[in-house]
Every structure is written in C-alpha cells, then in structure tokens.
C-alpha cells in the first residue's frame, strides 16, 4: 500500500522490528516464515505452528462427508431456514452437521457483549468511511492477494461474481449491524455458514485442474494464514486508513471495533493463538502475513475488472473513473498497478487533495472549507455503492457449494 506506512510503524525494535525486516526482505508474493509471537494473541500463548499449514479440524471432515455422500442440497435447504441467533438449528440437518453447528455457534468465553454492541455502533456511526473501505479498499485489495483471488476465481462462486460479492458483503453488513451479536442478529449465523463454505471449498478446490495448476504449491486452500490475510485486509487495513484520514475515533471505540473482529475471527474458526490481542499486535502480524504476499495475478486482474463492471452498473459507468481513482488513492499505486486499475492522472490528485478536506469537514475538524465539487460527487457515488452492496436490499442465502467453477 502506498508504500511502507505499516512497515515504518514497525521499525521500533524488538519483535516488531524483526517483523518489519522480514517483510522488507521477502519478495513480493512470497510468504515469509511465521515468527509472530502467540504472546500477542487473545490466548496469550500457543503451540507456535505456522498457520499456513493449519486448516479447520472441526469443520473440514464434516463438510467433506456432506459433499461425498450427496447431502449438499439437503443441508442448504435446512440452512436457508436459520437466519437469526435466537432460532434453534433446523431439525432437518444431518446429525453430524447439527452437532458441529451447535458448537460452532457458541461465542468464545472472552467475548464482551458491551464491546460488541459498541463496536457495531461504531461501524454505523462511521458507516460512509467503513463501507467505502470495505468495498473499494479491502474488496479490491483482495484481488491483489493471489491465493484469495485464485480460490475465488476457480470456486463455484467465481462464475457469478455479483452473487459472490453480495455474499461477501453480507459479512460487512452483518458485522456492522446494531444487532450483530444480539439474539435478534445474524452475525453468528453468517460466520458459521461462511466457515462451512470454507470447509467445502477446501474439499472441492484440490479437484480443480485450474486451481491446482496455479496454486503455487498449496495443496489445500484457505489455511488459517489465508483467513488472517483476509482479516487484516479488512479490520487492520480499515483502522489504519481511518487514522490516516484523521477520522475521530476514541480509544473505547477503537478497542470495541477490534473486539468485534476478534470475536468474528474466532467464529470463523481461527485458532485463538493467532488472533491479535491489540492493534499493535495486529499491525505487526499484518506486516508479516499481508504486506509481503500482495502481488499481481491473471485471476486478480480479471476479478478487478468484474468488480468495476458491477460498480459501473450504478450509473452506466459514468463514475467508474472516479471510483478507480479513489481506489488508487486508498490502496496506493503499487496495489493499483498490480490489479490493473486505470491510472487516472487527473482525477487521482484531485481526490488526494479533496478527500482529506471532506473528511475533516465531516469530522468537525475544519469549518466551511472550500471543497472541490469532485469530492461531493465522489461521496455520493460511494454512498450509492455502500447502499447497494452493504445495504439490506435483499436476503442473501449463503449456501454450501457442491462443485467448482465450470470450465
């Protein structure tokens, strides 16, 4: 991301300095050795296993069995009936699936209800920024993560990207909903279903010639390290950019937002020894697992084009150059080049000058500024995007795949 902002933060000695040095020395796209200390996790200790070789021992065998015995349609029909936390699991679920889900739906013992409520409120309060960063920052950054781009491209969801994006956006909507972790909410439902989808994809993708020929030696997709990469492209990246933009965030709100994502990681099946306990620990881990692996891929460029085409549907493509320029401003030219974003030599500097003024005005840091009109046009385009992809326009059914992407 434009450079080395994360790495500069990590040059201050100790383990953090070591993590920064690792990320500087590792070729782009390569994953460095795992050295992040488990003492920085919510567990406070761990076995020290490299998460790149850890998957989901609880979900994986259950979903593999569901697929192999031809039970996918039955499970999906039952899952469609489970939409809120206060609902019992559908009686039609096979016993092994129900047993797994009953355990998987339980919050970790360290979950703090007060923080979860506050974190969801924060996402609503800062919705225009957070929504823009989820969709036009993290969403596009994912196409510069080769393993993620290839897993998406060659899986069943890659054949219908609009549906795939809608399902991914469901996580962004649910995590920011005021009822996210309350009995009437659906974040736990979304996490458990997503965890099951991940397990199904792990079983299916190794059977895809397209994926196996481009996986770079990975034999099973969506490792714990891959989930952490995605976690940082969302939670850590968003908080870093909010601070870069000088958005007003209290310490309590910052801690609460982190807590929402910590609990969500646990609900997605991430081992607690890998979940950062603080933002400092998250920044250090991100510098090791996310920054070095950002790279170009044919699949990533193709997915970027699909994403921008979907955004263009908002207004027949009139604001596509504006959205591309904003994404370049947010992600930096390095990532922008990786994923094939247009250069936008006129619009990008305009946005770089105008957006900070707009944020400062919105945050009450300046009064009656002279804000270029492009900023207001951009804000409206972003607002439409957020409403389309993070709004509750229609129910989204997260379903278990039974095949890979058709050839």
């Amino acid at each position: 991301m434009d450079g080395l902002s994360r790495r500069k933060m990590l040059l201050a000695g100790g383990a953090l300095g070591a993590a920064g040095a690792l990320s500087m020395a590792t070729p782009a796209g390569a994953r460095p050795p795992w050295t992040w200390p488990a003492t920085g996790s919510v567990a406070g200790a761990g076995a020290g296993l490299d998460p790149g070789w850890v998957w989901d021992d609880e979900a994986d065998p259950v979903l593999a069995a569901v697929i192999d015995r031809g039970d996918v349609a039955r499970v999906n029909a039952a899952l469609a009936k489970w939409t809120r936390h206060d609902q019992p699991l559908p009686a039609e679920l096979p016993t092994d699936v129900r047993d797994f889900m009953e355990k998987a739906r339980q919050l970790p013992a360290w979950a703090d209800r007060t923080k979860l409520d506050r974190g969801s409120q924060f996402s609503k309060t800062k919705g225009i920024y957070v929504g823009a960063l989820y969709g036009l920052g993290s969403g596009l950054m994912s196409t510069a993560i080769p393993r993620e781009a290839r897993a998406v491209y060659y899986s069943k969801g890659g054949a219908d990207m609009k549906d795939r994006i809608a399902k991914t956006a469901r996580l962004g909507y649910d995590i920011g909903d005021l009822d996210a972790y309350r009995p009437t909410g659906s974040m736990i439902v979304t996490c458990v279903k997503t965890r099951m989808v991940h397990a199904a994809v792990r079983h299916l993708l190794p059977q895809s010639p397209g994926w196996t020929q481009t996986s770079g030696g990975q034999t099973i997709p969506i490792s714990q390290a891959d989930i952490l990469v995605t976690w940082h492209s969302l939670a850590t990246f968003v908080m870093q950019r909010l601070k870069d933009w000088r958005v007003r965030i209290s310490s309590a709100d910052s801690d609460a937002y982190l807590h929402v994502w910590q609990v969500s990681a646990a609900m997605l099946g991430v081992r607690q020894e890998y979940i950062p306990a603080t933002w400092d620990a998250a920044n250090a881990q991100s510098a090791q697992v996310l920054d070095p692996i950002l790279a170009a891929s044919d699949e990533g460029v193709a997915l970027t084009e699909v994403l921008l085409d979907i955004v263009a549907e908002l207004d027949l493509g009139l604001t596509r150059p504006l959205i591309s320029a904003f994404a370049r401003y947010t992600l930096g030219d390095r990532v922008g080049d990786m994923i094939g974003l247009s250069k936008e030599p006129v619009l990008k500097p305009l946005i770089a000058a105008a957006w900070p003024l707009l944020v400062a005005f919105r945050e009450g840091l300046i009064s009656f500024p002279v804000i270029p009109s492009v900023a207001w046009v951009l804000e409206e385009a972003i607002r439409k995007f957020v409403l389309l992809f993070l709004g509750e326009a229609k129910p989204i059914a997260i379903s278990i795949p039974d095949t890979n992407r058709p050839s």
Side-chain angles (χ1 to χ4, degrees), residues 1 3-4 6-7 10 18-33 144-146 229 232 283-296 334 338:
M1 314 194 176
L4 308 172
R6 287 197 190 123
R7 298 178 184 122
L10 300 172
L22 266 173
S23 65
M24 291 288 287
T26 305
R31 200 171 67 84
I145 301 170
V229 166
H232 287 295
N283 287 324
Q285 190 185 89
S286 180
Q288 182 175 142
V289 302
L290 174 60
D291 289 5
I293 58 89
L294 294 172
R334 172 174 165 251
M338 287 176 185

Side-chain angles (χ1 to χ4, degrees), residues 3 18 21 57-58 77 88 90 106 123 135 139 181 196 204 211 219 252 256 263 266 286 290 309 318 352 397:
D57 294 339
E58 295 178 342
Q106 304 304 314
S123 293
Y181 280 104
M196 294 169 71
L204 290 167
W211 182 79
T219 55
V263 172
S286 180
L290 174 60
D309 283 345
L318 294 177

Side-chain angles (χ1 to χ4, degrees), residues 156-170 310 389 394-399:
K156 185 177 182 179
D160 185 351
M161 278 303 295
K162 191 165 188 177
D163 180 69
R164 173 67 169 74
I165 292 164
K167 290 174 179 175
T168 302
R170 182 80 220 179
I310 293 171
F389 289 107
K394 62 177 182 178
I396 300 298
I398 298 176
S399 54

Side-chain angles (χ1 to χ4, degrees), residues 341-364:
L341 287 176
S342 55
K343 299 288 186 181
E344 305 300 341
V346 175
L347 283 174
K348 188 197 165 195
L350 280 176
I351 289 171
W355 184 254
L357 289 174
L358 181 61
V359 172
F361 175 64
R362 291 292 189 206
E363 293 298 303

Side-chain angles (χ1 to χ4, degrees), residues 301-372:
V301 172
L303 291 175
T304 298
E305 191 65 21
V306 172
L307 283 164
L308 291 177
D309 283 345
I310 293 171
V311 172
E313 292 179 17
L314 291 171
D315 57 7
L316 301 179
L318 294 177
T319 57
R320 174 168 171 163
L322 198 63
I323 293 297
S324 297
F326 179 76
R328 256 192 187 272
Y329 164 68
T330 303
L331 294 171
D333 285 329
R334 172 174 165 251
V335 173
D337 290 343
M338 287 176 185
I339 63 179
L341 287 176
S342 55
K343 299 288 186 181
E344 305 300 341
V346 175
L347 283 174
K348 188 197 165 195
L350 280 176
I351 289 171
W355 184 254
L357 289 174
L358 181 61
V359 172
F361 175 64
R362 291 292 189 206
E363 293 298 303
L365 300 175
I366 56 177
S367 301
F368 303 111
V370 178
I371 299 177

